[in-house]
Amino acid sequence: MEILNDISRNLIAGDDAKVAEQVAEAIRSEVPSAEILDDGLIAGMAVVGDRFRKHEMFLPEVLLSARAMAAGVALLKPLLIAEEVPSRGKVVLGSVQGDLHDIGKNLVGIMLEGAGFEVVDLGIDVPADKFVDTAVSEGASVIGVSSLLTTTMTQMKGVVDLVDERGLSGRVKVIVGGAPLSAEFARSIGAQGYAYDAASAVEKVMALMGEG
Ligand code: B1M
């Protein structure tokens, strides 16, 4: 669809104003929000990642694309979140210590809220004890940890281990996700769940809470 290609193109170019304008136009034209997200915004970001890896784009440009992505997601958020759903439980969410990537984590949060979960978002660069302390103080039964770097994914084990050390195993479950991860990696660090994308994160959290 032309409008979705335009959104991708402007996201790659880092033009947040144009991305916002075109996402708004797509919403007005009743393009489904999941299509705007997947085939417009996420598709554009995949190209950015590829070009960055090949050194065809550099960090300042990637940051502009990230800003454009955030502008588009902000407009989609109200559509992705159902209104007045009774709370299904609480999830503490954050990007693991050392990791500053938050776009995917934010999408997971939006989808969880959309499905009726209360999300306590701790942001980026979150140490293991902050995840666990917050789960206890907020009475959350799931901790969701995101990592986008092969150098930070190893920190995730610290969260799982701390849940065990504090005697919370069984009561607090850890779900992990992010581009470099796999179900096998999640199992290897003892996490109770792994999700490939934001939609499957919702399914996984529901399953962990005994609803799936
Ligand atoms: Co960075 N970066 N980055 N970056 N960046 C990657 C991840 C990289 C793959 C790019 C590349 O080389 N092709 C590469 C990592 C390589 C590796 O580890 N092997 C990389 C690098 C190297 C770096 C720096 C080290 C660069 C440098 O400084 N030299 C640096 C590290 C900073 C740090 O974290 N300490 C860095 C910085 C940045 C920016 C700040 C410029 C910016 C982030 C801005 C922001 O997030 N606010 C950035 C970006 C934008 C990217 C790419 C281009 C895009 C990431 C993104 O937002 N994707 C990325 C390349 C890529 O992934 N293709 C790249 C869109 C998003 C919707 O997808 O985040 O995968 P994603 O989330 C998905 C799933 O993974 C999943 O669901 C989401 C929605 O479907 N998911 C979960 C995510 N979390 C989940 C949690 C769950 C469940 C599912 O449960 C809890």
Side-chain angles (χ1 to χ4, degrees):
M1 205 181 293
E2 191 51 38
I3 184 86
L4 299 181
N5 291 337
D6 284 346
I7 290 171
S8 291
R9 208 174 308 124
N10 284 311
L11 184 141
I12 296 162
D15 191 333
D16 58 344
K18 280 232 173 72
V19 167
E21 197 181 291
Q22 284 166 340
V23 167
E25 190 188 324
I27 293 170
R28 275 196 305 276
S29 310
E30 294 183 3
V31 180
S33 42
E35 269 180 44
I36 304 175
L37 183 63
D38 290 341
D39 303 338
L41 298 171
I42 291 183
M45 201 44 119
V47 175
V48 172
D50 195 41
R51 292 191 184 169
F52 183 48
R53 193 171 42 79
K54 293 180 183 153
H55 307 290
E56 293 166 7
M57 270 178 91
F58 299 95
L59 266 190
E61 299 162 283
V62 178
L63 262 178
L64 290 179
S65 294
R67 195 188 298 168
M69 173 104 189
V73 169
L75 292 172
L76 287 178
K77 186 173 175 178
L79 303 175
L80 296 169
I81 296 185
E83 284 169 30
E84 303 293 326
V85 191
S87 175
R88 287 174 124 154
K90 241 182 218 181
V91 180
V92 172
L93 187 64
S95 300
V96 77
Q97 186 155 36
D99 209 309
L100 308 179
H101 297 85
D102 66 357
I103 295 172
K105 182 265 298 167
N106 292 345
L107 279 177
V108 171
I110 289 172
M111 297 296 211
L112 284 171
E113 283 182 24
F117 291 98
E118 272 180 74
V119 175
V120 182
D121 190 338
L122 298 176
I124 52 176
D125 190 19
V126 182
D129 56 352
K130 193 162 177 196
F131 277 112
V132 179
D133 290 347
T134 309
V136 171
S137 64
E138 293 280 345
S141 49
V142 174
I143 295 175
V145 191
S146 175
S147 161
L148 262 281
L149 297 172
T150 46
T151 49
T152 58
M153 60 193 260
T154 48
Q155 299 288 329
M156 294 174 136
K157 188 171 184 317
V159 181
V160 178
D161 288 350
L162 196 56
V163 168
D164 281 353
E165 276 166 34
R166 300 249 177 112
L168 299 166
S169 307
R171 264 190 296 152
V172 177
K173 289 163 179 160
V174 180
I175 168 175
V176 295
L181 274 66
S182 63
E184 199 193 336
F185 170 78
R187 264 195 305 277
S188 77
I189 61 167
Q192 285 74 38
Y194 160 75
Y196 168 75
D197 62 11
S200 55
V202 173
E203 286 166 22
K204 191 56 77 177
V205 169
M206 279 161 69
L208 289 178
M209 288 192 178
E211 291 186 40

